[in-house]
Amino acid sequence: MARRNIFQPPPPPSPQTETVHAESRPRFPNTGPMSGVKSTLRDLSSNAIRELDPALIEDDGPRDRLAITDADVAELAESIRLHGQQVPIMVRPLAEAPGRYRIVYGRRRLQALKLAGLPAKALIRSLTDEQAILAQGQENSLRVDPSFIEKAVFVSELAENGYEPAVILDALAIDKPMLSRMTKVARTIPGEVIRFVGPAHGIGRRRWEELADAARDHGLDLVDLVQALPPAAAALPSDDRFAQLQSAATRATTPAAQPAPASPGLTVKDATGATIAEVKATPRSVTIRLGQGDAAFTSWMRANAEHEILRLYRTWKTGQRSD
């Protein structure tokens, strides 16, 4: 009988033997360390990037940007055509519509992909509404931030959709005072006006607050102000449209300059009560109008006006020096 070298590994089992062994293994419940491994594998699978037809992705829900047009993303679309989509978008499956998805973040990229006619590279995650809002806000904080007014509109939409303040604060990484300011602006300035102005990336919180305060404190109808702007204003860049509107609001809240009240005139009379002259003063001049009661005095004054004015001036100067 041949002796087996104990230092050599045993021969591999035959497929039939392996099948029997596999079937004879006891089955354990999905608990313990193996459950954690399976959960990790599921998470890794959920992070896989897939290509989706953009038509299957719905773009509704709270928006952190104002309306995006093809013109807004034309340059991005061309870049994607040339270099491909470098950063995936995130979507979540729609439970009520299998095979369809809702955007979590990447709305500009999605619009550009639609314009370019290309599939969307997407990270598909099953998220709750709160988790989706947090992911949306955090992604924007790592990339180019939306403008102040876009954030304010986003905050207002989240509040109207019933999200708790704590979720909104975490999603946008802001504090309570900033949340209050954003809410005030979004509720005071009509949506029609905000859409006219656009994102206005160069206009910060302070100027938007000033416009909201002017509208509230003075009862301004900002929609009327927008409609009263020259038609050419609509073609200006977004920041300039805001400047036009703010200038109109300033004019509407600044009282018209009133002329300075005229000084009361001085009437000079003689001992008999006859008017000799009337003196009227303005901030820039003094006018002396001689009366018609004594024509001889009027003629004398015409002849001696220069001499008499100089005499009066010297008398005044002498008094100035003595003071």
Side-chain angles (χ1 to χ4, degrees):
M1 178 177 176
R3 297 177 60 185
R4 182 173 66 86
N5 186 345
I6 61 173
F7 297 104
Q8 295 293 328
S14 65
Q16 293 82 1
T17 304
E18 178 64 23
T19 302
V20 171
H21 288 173
E23 292 178 349
S24 63
R25 291 189 187 116
R27 297 183 181 274
F28 296 97
N30 192 24
T31 59
M34 286 307 298
S35 174
V37 171
K38 291 179 179 179
S39 175
T40 300
L41 291 175
R42 281 197 301 271
D43 290 342
L44 290 173
S45 176
S46 70
N47 285 325
I49 296 173
R50 291 175 51 191
E51 287 193 348
L52 300 175
D53 181 350
L56 299 176
I57 304 172
E58 297 187 6
D59 190 17
D60 56 359
R63 296 174 178 269
D64 51 16
R65 296 188 186 275
L66 299 177
I68 302 171
T69 66
D70 287 349
D72 296 330
V73 296
E75 185 175 344
L76 177 59
E78 183 61 24
S79 174
I80 292 176
R81 285 193 192 99
L82 294 174
H83 307 293
Q85 180 187 349
Q86 301 299 314
V87 181
I89 64 175
M90 180 180 282
V91 299
R92 55 178 177 152
L94 286 175
E96 67 275 17
R100 297 190 65 83
Y101 306 87
R102 175 169 289 123
I103 189 76
V104 176
Y105 60 68
R107 281 181 167 80
R108 292 186 72 255
R109 275 163 279 165
L110 178 61
Q111 185 74 16
L113 289 163
K114 289 179 179 178
L115 182 61
L118 297 173
K121 294 179 181 179
L123 185 64
I124 302 174
R125 298 292 299 273
S126 296
L127 303 173
T128 64
D129 290 345
E130 288 78 8
Q131 289 170 334
I133 291 301
L134 288 172
Q136 184 177 355
Q138 290 167 1
E139 196 265 353
N140 279 323
S141 69
L142 296 174
R143 299 181 61 79
V144 177
D145 275 347
S147 65
F148 171 81
I149 194 60
E150 288 179 311
K151 290 181 181 180
V153 172
F154 186 40
V155 162
S156 179
E157 287 191 4
L158 293 180
E160 290 174 1
N161 283 298
Y163 288 95
E164 295 295 328
V167 173
I168 300 174
L169 293 174
D170 287 343
L172 278 81
I174 57 176
D175 55 20
K176 289 182 178 180
M178 180 58 73
L179 175 62
S180 176
R181 293 187 178 103
M182 289 180 169
T183 301
K184 177 191 71 173
V185 169
R187 290 179 177 175
T188 302
I189 300 179
E192 182 178 348
V193 173
I194 293 174
R195 288 189 293 273
F196 165 79
V197 171
H201 286 281
I203 307 300
R205 170 189 61 80
R206 181 181 60 80
R207 294 180 67 185
W208 278 106
E209 280 193 297
E210 288 175 352
L211 183 62
D213 290 342
R216 185 186 62 250
D217 297 343
H218 298 276
L220 288 182
D221 189 329
L222 295 179
V223 175
D224 284 349
L225 288 182
V226 166
Q227 294 175 346
L229 291 176
L236 294 173
S238 182
D239 286 7
D240 293 340
R241 291 198 296 273
F242 177 90
Q244 290 264 328
L245 176 58
Q246 189 175 46
S247 295
T250 300
R251 290 193 299 270
T253 56
T254 302
Q258 299 294 326
S263 300
L266 172 64
T267 301
V268 181
K269 298 182 180 183
D270 65 8
T272 66
T275 298
I276 299 174
E278 293 178 349
V279 181
K280 290 185 178 180
T282 68
R284 294 188 176 184
S285 65
V286 175
T287 302
I288 300 175
R289 181 174 180 272
L290 299 178
Q292 300 299 318
D294 195 332
F297 174 70
T298 301
S299 298
W300 181 85
M301 276 298 298
R302 288 197 187 102
N304 295 278
E306 181 178 1
H307 172 76
E308 291 301 316
I309 291 172
L310 287 173
R311 183 179 62 80
L312 290 172
Y313 178 73
R314 286 193 292 270
T315 302
W316 173 79
K317 288 291 286 184
T318 301
Q320 291 290 100
R321 286 195 293 268
S322 64
D323 289 343

